[in-house]
Amino acid sequence: MMENTYQLTEQQINHIRESIDIVDIISSYIPLVAKGKSFFGVCPFHDDHSPSMSVSKEKQIYRCFSCGAGGNVFKFVMDYENINFLEAVKMLADKAGIPIQIETGRTPVQKKYQAYYEIYDLAFKFYQNNINTTMGKEARTYLDKRGIDSNIIKEFGIGLSLKNTEMLTKLLTKKEYPSKLLIKTGLINENEKGLHDVYYNRIMFPLWDLEGKVIGFSGRIYQNNDTAKYVNTKETEIFKKGELLYHYHVAKNEARRVGQVIVMEGFMDVIRAFSIGLTNVVATMGTAVTKEQALLLKRMAKEVILCFDGDEAGAKATMSCSNELLQIGVTPKIIRLEENLDPDEYILKYGKEQFLKKIENPINMMDFKLNYFKKKKDFSNNSDIANYVKEVLKELEKIDDVVLRELTIQKLSQETNLEEQFLKEQIKQIEQPVKVVPKKTNIKLTKYEQAEKNLIYYMLESAEVIQLYQKHITYMPTKPYRLLAIQIACFYQDYQKINIADFMTSIQNDEVLTQTLNDILNLNLKEEYTIEEIMDYIRTIHEYGVKFQCKRLTEMLEMEIDPMKQAEIGQKIVELKKTEMMDRG
């Protein structure tokens, strides 16, 4: 059973779960449609284009029939929000109006790399302290001239590394962290003179993970004495740019509240947007958007607006990001900024109101792509026109939005004087790249394994079946099924009932049991069972036990030379075979 390390009893946790409806919670994140007894929606945990997630109001669990994700309401919130179990419990308790006091603690990943988090936190406080001293006056003046006041400095934890290249090194070595670890963090380096700070004489911007813990820095020059404008922390075990979004931990709640997330390229863009009241903004930190980042954006809000730099590189980044989002069923809207300005520069030059008008009037993705493909095309040249049409049609083929497709075809027809029907036929003729869907490995189960799985499936449905298991089964041959059946029986012993959603909570720390449970729940057997069916499963499991013991005894018989012991073993084999015959009969 689950260890009570959370300052909450299982009964209290179960009470929180019972006080909320999983359908209400999940539907606040993704649209759900009722079909029969269940609700269905597009799974947010993989590249799902058609509803493959089923949510059971009766059982208070969810399952994805495509990727295998499943669990109770706590598990959904944990995975969707990228938070740990205690944080999910606290969040749902707040929604249910149940006051609780708990320490959320650290996730297993955080515990594993605890020293990293400690080092970054010490550096974070060190840099913050520096900027607030007399030595930070020039840096504060620089930031103030750029419209970054003391409130923003505090909000974003902006700090300062000093000209002395050994100050942070001395601080961290005094804490007795190993030199190799300090070098791995990317904050300290080593040369022939020994250890020294990587960052010096730079304004320091902390970088956070999805939960808001500092995992790196970006240092910016402010005295124009270095060719490298920014120096970023190298990737480490806990800092991987492609899995993060800058300011996600702050922006996610506002994005979900307003149903919109704005994506920019750099952290200075986010800081500037924040200064004019936009808090639903994240940044990709200058890297090409990855699938992981796209899925994070999909979970944040229904509407995604891309506002990248106004130059050619920003246009390419917009194209790349929009295609990545399209692959997971998200059609973003686009903002393009004039004069090759980035959002930070645009807001400083044109002000809050002008930028907010841009946000309120984004262009649709296909209008952006039409303009993008038109560049460097000569419309007096038939070859250029043909290439333009082909490029647009390839993009249209990716679009699921029927209205957007129709509107774009109309515009394309007007631009090129080609008939709409002709363009529609050309789309149909575009050769679709064959999507290689990995085949599910259908491992052939023995009849004994299938009997074990089926028996456990109905144990999860009925106390009566648990009682039959307790009465007739002494041993299950397959270890994962054996351990899961034991846990179910223990849960029933404790609560005198079986509730799948609460049982999931009790085993949530055991990945093997949780995976085995999801595997069994995906059997989708009929709801009703007969006692005869259950007894058939039990007899099949017994049969395995008898065969196994007979085999073992036969091997012993072949090795035995004492006639008396041979007779004893032979008698045991006969009795076991009689038992097997009785079970069959």
Side-chain angles (χ1 to χ4, degrees):
M1 302 298 286
M2 186 178 66
E3 291 181 15
N4 187 18
T5 60
Y6 304 129
Q7 301 176 341
L8 284 175
T9 65
E10 284 192 6
Q11 286 84 351
Q12 288 172 311
I13 293 171
N14 293 345
H15 171 61
I16 292 167
R17 190 205 56 74
E18 289 168 357
S19 301
I20 50 181
D21 184 352
I22 193 171
V23 174
D24 291 340
I25 297 300
I26 293 182
S27 63
S28 71
Y29 292 101
I30 60 172
L32 294 178
V33 177
K35 290 183 182 178
K37 289 184 177 181
S38 296
F39 292 76
F40 288 83
V42 173
C43 177
F45 305 121
H46 76 285
D47 298 354
D48 195 11
H49 297 280
S50 58
S52 60
M53 176 178 281
S54 167
V55 186
S56 171
K57 194 177 188 73
E58 180 185 0
K59 296 177 182 177
Q60 289 293 299
I61 62 173
Y62 70 94
R63 286 178 289 157
C64 175
F65 300 109
S66 182
C67 73
N72 59 14
V73 70
F74 296 129
K75 185 70 168 70
F76 182 90
V77 171
M78 285 167 65
D79 290 346
Y80 198 105
E81 296 276 4
N82 293 292
I83 58 179
N84 63 34
F85 176 72
L86 282 184
E87 289 168 327
V89 170
K90 182 71 169 67
M91 180 184 290
L92 293 170
D94 290 343
K95 286 182 182 291
I98 300 172
I100 59 171
Q101 293 293 327
I102 54 174
E103 291 293 330
T104 56
R106 288 179 172 266
T107 65
V109 170
Q110 289 165 349
K111 287 177 182 177
K112 183 177 180 181
Y113 298 110
Q114 184 176 353
Y116 278 84
Y117 290 100
E118 290 174 359
I119 290 167
Y120 290 125
D121 187 55
L122 283 168
F124 174 59
K125 290 172 181 173
F126 172 71
Y127 295 140
Q128 276 190 308
N129 181 67
N130 290 343
I131 205 167
N132 290 314
T133 66
T134 55
M135 292 180 288
K137 184 178 178 180
E138 189 178 345
R140 293 197 305 272
T141 301
Y142 169 84
L143 289 170
D144 189 58
K145 286 180 179 177
R146 295 206 65 190
I148 297 174
D149 60 23
S150 58
N151 290 327
I152 296 175
I153 288 173
K154 185 176 180 181
E155 176 68 34
F156 285 87
I158 299 170
L160 179 69
S161 58
L162 303 176
K163 291 181 181 180
N164 187 316
T165 62
E166 295 180 352
M167 290 187 72
L168 182 61
T169 300
K170 287 177 179 178
L171 172 67
L172 295 175
T173 51
K174 274 185 182 179
K175 299 287 183 181
E176 298 184 352
Y177 290 110
S179 298
K180 285 184 179 179
L181 175 60
L182 294 178
I183 293 168
K184 280 184 178 181
T185 65
L187 298 178
I188 308 297
N189 216 336
E190 188 174 25
N191 58 20
E192 64 279 358
K193 295 180 181 179
L195 298 176
H196 62 88
D197 298 1
V198 167
Y199 295 100
Y200 53 91
N201 203 31
R202 286 177 179 267
I203 293 174
M204 302 300 292
F205 296 88
L207 307 175
W208 301 277
D209 66 11
L210 300 177
E211 295 178 13
K213 294 177 177 62
V214 177
I215 54 171
F217 295 89
S218 184
R220 191 194 195 285
I221 58 172
Y222 66 101
Q223 294 179 324
N224 299 318
N225 57 356
D226 196 320
T227 54
K229 188 176 180 182
Y230 287 100
V231 173
N232 298 323
T233 300
K234 66 182 182 182
E235 291 205 344
T236 67
E237 282 83 351
I238 63 171
F239 177 45
K240 301 186 188 303
K241 284 186 180 181
E243 297 174 5
L244 303 170
L245 290 169
Y246 178 77
H247 214 228
Y248 172 89
H249 65 292
V250 174
K252 64 179 180 180
N253 291 333
E254 180 65 8
R256 285 169 188 156
R257 188 186 72 80
V258 299
Q260 178 193 82
V261 59
I262 303 165
V263 190
M264 297 178 176
E265 289 187 76
F267 58 83
M268 276 305 302
D269 300 323
V270 173
I271 293 171
R272 184 66 59 208
F274 186 91
S275 74
I276 62 169
L278 291 172
T279 55
N280 57 324
V281 186
V282 295
T284 62
M285 295 190 285
T287 60
V289 171
T290 63
K291 177 181 171 182
E292 289 80 5
Q293 289 172 321
L295 286 169
L296 283 173
L297 292 170
K298 181 179 182 180
R299 295 176 199 171
M300 287 181 78
K302 293 178 183 177
E303 183 177 74
V304 178
I305 296 179
L306 305 183
C307 182
F308 290 170
D309 297 355
D311 57 11
E312 179 61 22
K316 287 181 179 179
T318 302
M319 178 67 77
S320 173
C321 183
S322 64
N323 287 336
E324 195 68 51
L325 288 165
L326 277 175
Q327 289 183 26
I328 58 170
V330 176
T331 304
K333 295 179 180 178
I334 313 294
I335 291 171
R336 293 298 292 151
L337 302 175
E338 298 82 11
E339 302 172 42
N340 291 338
L341 298 175
D342 62 32
D344 176 32
E345 294 166 333
Y346 188 92
I347 294 169
L348 285 174
K349 184 171 182 177
Y350 291 105
K352 173 181 177 179
E353 297 306 320
Q354 192 70 17
F355 186 75
L356 290 180
K357 283 181 183 177
K358 290 274 188 185
I359 298 295
E360 291 164 6
N361 299 284
I363 61 174
N364 71 61
M365 189 191 65
M366 284 312 302
D367 279 349
F368 160 74
K369 290 190 173 182
L370 287 172
N371 291 328
Y372 184 81
F373 290 129
K374 275 181 199 171
K375 289 180 182 179
K376 299 178 182 177
K377 295 286 194 308
D378 179 2
F379 270 58
S380 65
N381 183 307
N382 285 339
S383 179
D384 273 14
I385 294 174
N387 288 333
Y388 171 66
V389 171
K390 289 174 184 176
E391 286 173 331
V392 174
L393 292 181
K394 281 182 181 178
E395 294 299 322
L396 269 181
E397 197 279 323
K398 302 172 187 175
I399 301 292
D400 292 328
D401 188 326
V402 179
V403 175
L404 184 56
R405 281 171 64 121
E406 193 68 27
L407 288 171
T408 307
I409 287 170
Q410 288 175 13
K411 287 181 182 178
L412 189 60
S413 174
Q414 291 165 8
E415 288 177 341
T416 61
N417 292 321
L418 293 170
E419 293 290 336
E420 289 181 28
Q421 188 56 41
F422 169 79
L423 294 171
K424 289 176 182 177
E425 288 171 1
Q426 294 305 303
I427 292 176
K428 292 177 184 177
Q429 291 176 20
I430 292 174
E431 186 175 340
Q432 281 262 30
V434 179
K435 291 184 178 179
V436 180
V437 180
K439 293 182 179 179
K440 290 185 177 179
T441 307
N442 293 318
I443 300 170
K444 184 74 173 175
L445 296 176
T446 65
K447 67 175 183 178
Y448 308 113
E449 291 169 323
Q450 194 63 60
E452 290 174 289
K453 289 183 72 172
N454 291 5
L455 180 62
I456 292 173
Y457 183 92
Y458 287 115
M459 286 173 70
L460 293 163
E461 298 285 334
S462 167
E464 179 184 38
V465 179
I466 295 173
Q467 291 165 359
L468 289 170
Y469 159 84
Q470 291 173 318
K471 182 177 180 181
H472 296 287
I473 297 290
T474 56
Y475 181 81
M476 276 194 174
T478 310
K479 185 177 179 180
Y481 304 146
R482 179 168 69 250
L483 296 177
L484 184 59
I486 291 169
Q487 288 295 328
I488 294 169
C490 289
F491 184 92
Y492 176 73
Q493 197 72 32
D494 289 342
Y495 297 100
Q496 293 303 301
K497 66 175 184 178
I498 184 66
N499 179 291
I500 297 175
D502 289 340
F503 177 68
M504 284 177 167
T505 300
S506 74
I507 63 167
Q508 61 97 20
N509 285 327
D510 192 316
E511 290 184 17
V512 174
L513 284 181
T514 300
Q515 184 55 51
T516 305
L517 175 63
N518 283 337
D519 180 41
I520 286 171
L521 288 174
N522 281 328
L523 286 173
N524 279 323
L525 302 179
K526 65 184 191 310
E527 290 186 18
E528 295 77 18
Y529 64 87
T530 65
I531 296 297
E532 184 55 35
E533 283 178 290
I534 302 303
M535 292 309 298
D536 273 346
Y537 302 144
I538 289 171
R539 280 190 287 268
T540 301
I541 294 167
H542 273 175
E543 180 186 318
Y544 178 90
V546 170
K547 286 182 181 294
F548 179 79
Q549 290 184 62
C550 284
K551 182 182 177 183
R552 184 176 60 84
L553 289 170
T554 302
E555 289 172 353
M556 288 174 61
L557 185 63
E558 291 172 355
M559 299 288 293
E560 187 57 64
I561 56 174
D562 186 326
M564 291 293 291
K565 288 183 178 178
Q566 284 180 338
E568 286 177 17
I569 294 170
Q571 184 59 35
K572 285 180 182 178
I573 292 172
V574 170
E575 288 170 1
L576 282 170
K577 289 187 174 179
K578 282 182 181 178
T579 304
E580 184 182 2
M581 293 293 291
M582 289 173 65
D583 282 343
R584 289 178 183 173

PDB file of all heavy atoms in Angstrom, residues 109-120:
ATOM      1  N   VAL A 109      13.166  13.046  -9.837  1.00  0.00           N
ATOM      2  CA  VAL A 109      14.218  13.640 -10.660  1.00  0.00           C
ATOM      3  C   VAL A 109      14.944  14.720  -9.872  1.00  0.00           C
ATOM      4  O   VAL A 109      16.165  14.828  -9.890  1.00  0.00           O
ATOM      5  CB  VAL A 109      13.621  14.236 -11.962  1.00  0.00           C
ATOM      6  CG1 VAL A 109      14.670  15.055 -12.702  1.00  0.00           C
ATOM      7  CG2 VAL A 109      13.098  13.125 -12.856  1.00  0.00           C
ATOM      8  N   GLN A 110      14.172  15.520  -9.145  1.00  0.00           N
ATOM      9  CA  GLN A 110      14.785  16.589  -8.353  1.00  0.00           C
ATOM     10  C   GLN A 110      15.655  16.017  -7.243  1.00  0.00           C
ATOM     11  O   GLN A 110      16.707  16.560  -6.926  1.00  0.00           O
ATOM     12  CB  GLN A 110      13.696  17.497  -7.788  1.00  0.00           C
ATOM     13  CG  GLN A 110      13.031  18.342  -8.863  1.00  0.00           C
ATOM     14  CD  GLN A 110      11.745  18.969  -8.399  1.00  0.00           C
ATOM     15  OE1 GLN A 110      11.214  18.624  -7.341  1.00  0.00           O
ATOM     16  NE2 GLN A 110      11.220  19.892  -9.171  1.00  0.00           N
ATOM     17  N   LYS A 111      15.214  14.934  -6.635  1.00  0.00           N
ATOM     18  CA  LYS A 111      16.017  14.308  -5.583  1.00  0.00           C
ATOM     19  C   LYS A 111      17.331  13.785  -6.154  1.00  0.00           C
ATOM     20  O   LYS A 111      18.382  13.925  -5.539  1.00  0.00           O
ATOM     21  CB  LYS A 111      15.229  13.156  -4.943  1.00  0.00           C
ATOM     22  CG  LYS A 111      14.091  13.618  -4.044  1.00  0.00           C
ATOM     23  CD  LYS A 111      13.319  12.438  -3.498  1.00  0.00           C
ATOM     24  CE  LYS A 111      12.151  12.890  -2.637  1.00  0.00           C
ATOM     25  NZ  LYS A 111      11.336  11.742  -2.164  1.00  0.00           N
ATOM     26  N   LYS A 112      17.262  13.191  -7.348  1.00  0.00           N
ATOM     27  CA  LYS A 112      18.449  12.615  -7.972  1.00  0.00           C
ATOM     28  C   LYS A 112      19.492  13.690  -8.253  1.00  0.00           C
ATOM     29  O   LYS A 112      20.690  13.470  -8.075  1.00  0.00           O
ATOM     30  CB  LYS A 112      18.059  11.914  -9.282  1.00  0.00           C
ATOM     31  CG  LYS A 112      19.231  11.224  -9.963  1.00  0.00           C
ATOM     32  CD  LYS A 112      18.764  10.486 -11.216  1.00  0.00           C
ATOM     33  CE  LYS A 112      19.929   9.805 -11.907  1.00  0.00           C
ATOM     34  NZ  LYS A 112      19.512   9.103 -13.141  1.00  0.00           N
ATOM     35  N   TYR A 113      19.009  14.868  -8.684  1.00  0.00           N
ATOM     36  CA  TYR A 113      19.921  15.956  -9.023  1.00  0.00           C
ATOM     37  C   TYR A 113      19.807  17.107  -8.024  1.00  0.00           C
ATOM     38  O   TYR A 113      19.931  18.281  -8.387  1.00  0.00           O
ATOM     39  CB  TYR A 113      19.625  16.451 -10.448  1.00  0.00           C
ATOM     40  CG  TYR A 113      19.838  15.393 -11.501  1.00  0.00           C
ATOM     41  CD1 TYR A 113      18.771  14.831 -12.193  1.00  0.00           C
ATOM     42  CD2 TYR A 113      21.119  14.933 -11.786  1.00  0.00           C
ATOM     43  CE1 TYR A 113      18.974  13.850 -13.159  1.00  0.00           C
ATOM     44  CE2 TYR A 113      21.333  13.953 -12.749  1.00  0.00           C
ATOM     45  CZ  TYR A 113      20.254  13.410 -13.422  1.00  0.00           C
ATOM     46  OH  TYR A 113      20.459  12.436 -14.371  1.00  0.00           O
ATOM     47  N   GLN A 114      19.584  16.756  -6.775  1.00  0.00           N
ATOM     48  CA  GLN A 114      19.373  17.766  -5.747  1.00  0.00           C
ATOM     49  C   GLN A 114      20.541  18.757  -5.672  1.00  0.00           C
ATOM     50  O   GLN A 114      20.340  19.970  -5.509  1.00  0.00           O
ATOM     51  CB  GLN A 114      19.164  17.104  -4.381  1.00  0.00           C
ATOM     52  CG  GLN A 114      18.848  18.102  -3.272  1.00  0.00           C
ATOM     53  CD  GLN A 114      18.555  17.405  -1.957  1.00  0.00           C
ATOM     54  OE1 GLN A 114      18.467  16.181  -1.883  1.00  0.00           O
ATOM     55  NE2 GLN A 114      18.406  18.189  -0.910  1.00  0.00           N
ATOM     56  N   ALA A 115      21.774  18.255  -5.799  1.00  0.00           N
ATOM     57  CA  ALA A 115      22.944  19.128  -5.710  1.00  0.00           C
ATOM     58  C   ALA A 115      22.923  20.190  -6.816  1.00  0.00           C
ATOM     59  O   ALA A 115      23.319  21.341  -6.585  1.00  0.00           O
ATOM     60  CB  ALA A 115      24.226  18.310  -5.787  1.00  0.00           C
ATOM     61  N   TYR A 116      22.474  19.806  -8.020  1.00  0.00           N
ATOM     62  CA  TYR A 116      22.370  20.772  -9.109  1.00  0.00           C
ATOM     63  C   TYR A 116      21.435  21.920  -8.711  1.00  0.00           C
ATOM     64  O   TYR A 116      21.766  23.097  -8.879  1.00  0.00           O
ATOM     65  CB  TYR A 116      21.814  20.111 -10.375  1.00  0.00           C
ATOM     66  CG  TYR A 116      22.829  19.365 -11.210  1.00  0.00           C
ATOM     67  CD1 TYR A 116      23.177  18.059 -10.922  1.00  0.00           C
ATOM     68  CD2 TYR A 116      23.418  19.960 -12.317  1.00  0.00           C
ATOM     69  CE1 TYR A 116      24.092  17.360 -11.696  1.00  0.00           C
ATOM     70  CE2 TYR A 116      24.329  19.278 -13.112  1.00  0.00           C
ATOM     71  CZ  TYR A 116      24.661  17.974 -12.789  1.00  0.00           C
ATOM     72  OH  TYR A 116      25.568  17.302 -13.569  1.00  0.00           O
ATOM     73  N   TYR A 117      20.244  21.546  -8.223  1.00  0.00           N
ATOM     74  CA  TYR A 117      19.259  22.562  -7.840  1.00  0.00           C
ATOM     75  C   TYR A 117      19.801  23.458  -6.730  1.00  0.00           C
ATOM     76  O   TYR A 117      19.579  24.672  -6.740  1.00  0.00           O
ATOM     77  CB  TYR A 117      17.956  21.895  -7.390  1.00  0.00           C
ATOM     78  CG  TYR A 117      17.194  21.240  -8.518  1.00  0.00           C
ATOM     79  CD1 TYR A 117      17.264  19.872  -8.732  1.00  0.00           C
ATOM     80  CD2 TYR A 117      16.404  21.994  -9.380  1.00  0.00           C
ATOM     81  CE1 TYR A 117      16.570  19.270  -9.769  1.00  0.00           C
ATOM     82  CE2 TYR A 117      15.704  21.402 -10.419  1.00  0.00           C
ATOM     83  CZ  TYR A 117      15.795  20.037 -10.612  1.00  0.00           C
ATOM     84  OH  TYR A 117      15.109  19.449 -11.647  1.00  0.00           O
ATOM     85  N   GLU A 118      20.521  22.872  -5.784  1.00  0.00           N
ATOM     86  CA  GLU A 118      21.093  23.659  -4.688  1.00  0.00           C
ATOM     87  C   GLU A 118      22.116  24.671  -5.219  1.00  0.00           C
ATOM     88  O   GLU A 118      22.131  25.835  -4.807  1.00  0.00           O
ATOM     89  CB  GLU A 118      21.765  22.733  -3.672  1.00  0.00           C
ATOM     90  CG  GLU A 118      20.799  21.891  -2.863  1.00  0.00           C
ATOM     91  CD  GLU A 118      21.522  20.892  -1.971  1.00  0.00           C
ATOM     92  OE1 GLU A 118      22.763  20.854  -2.007  1.00  0.00           O
ATOM     93  OE2 GLU A 118      20.832  20.148  -1.251  1.00  0.00           O
ATOM     94  N   ILE A 119      22.966  24.218  -6.138  1.00  0.00           N
ATOM     95  CA  ILE A 119      24.015  25.084  -6.691  1.00  0.00           C
ATOM     96  C   ILE A 119      23.398  26.242  -7.483  1.00  0.00           C
ATOM     97  O   ILE A 119      23.794  27.404  -7.325  1.00  0.00           O
ATOM     98  CB  ILE A 119      24.984  24.264  -7.565  1.00  0.00           C
ATOM     99  CG1 ILE A 119      25.820  23.328  -6.683  1.00  0.00           C
ATOM    100  CG2 ILE A 119      25.882  25.177  -8.399  1.00  0.00           C
ATOM    101  CD1 ILE A 119      26.572  22.255  -7.443  1.00  0.00           C
ATOM    102  N   TYR A 120      22.411  25.927  -8.335  1.00  0.00           N
ATOM    103  CA  TYR A 120      21.767  26.991  -9.107  1.00  0.00           C
ATOM    104  C   TYR A 120      21.036  27.968  -8.195  1.00  0.00           C
ATOM    105  O   TYR A 120      21.014  29.180  -8.444  1.00  0.00           O
ATOM    106  CB  TYR A 120      20.794  26.405 -10.136  1.00  0.00           C
ATOM    107  CG  TYR A 120      21.476  25.688 -11.276  1.00  0.00           C
ATOM    108  CD1 TYR A 120      21.158  24.371 -11.580  1.00  0.00           C
ATOM    109  CD2 TYR A 120      22.436  26.330 -12.047  1.00  0.00           C
ATOM    110  CE1 TYR A 120      21.795  23.702 -12.616  1.00  0.00           C
ATOM    111  CE2 TYR A 120      23.073  25.678 -13.101  1.00  0.00           C
ATOM    112  CZ  TYR A 120      22.744  24.369 -13.370  1.00  0.00           C
ATOM    113  OH  TYR A 120      23.380  23.708 -14.397  1.00  0.00           O
TER     114      TYR A 120
END
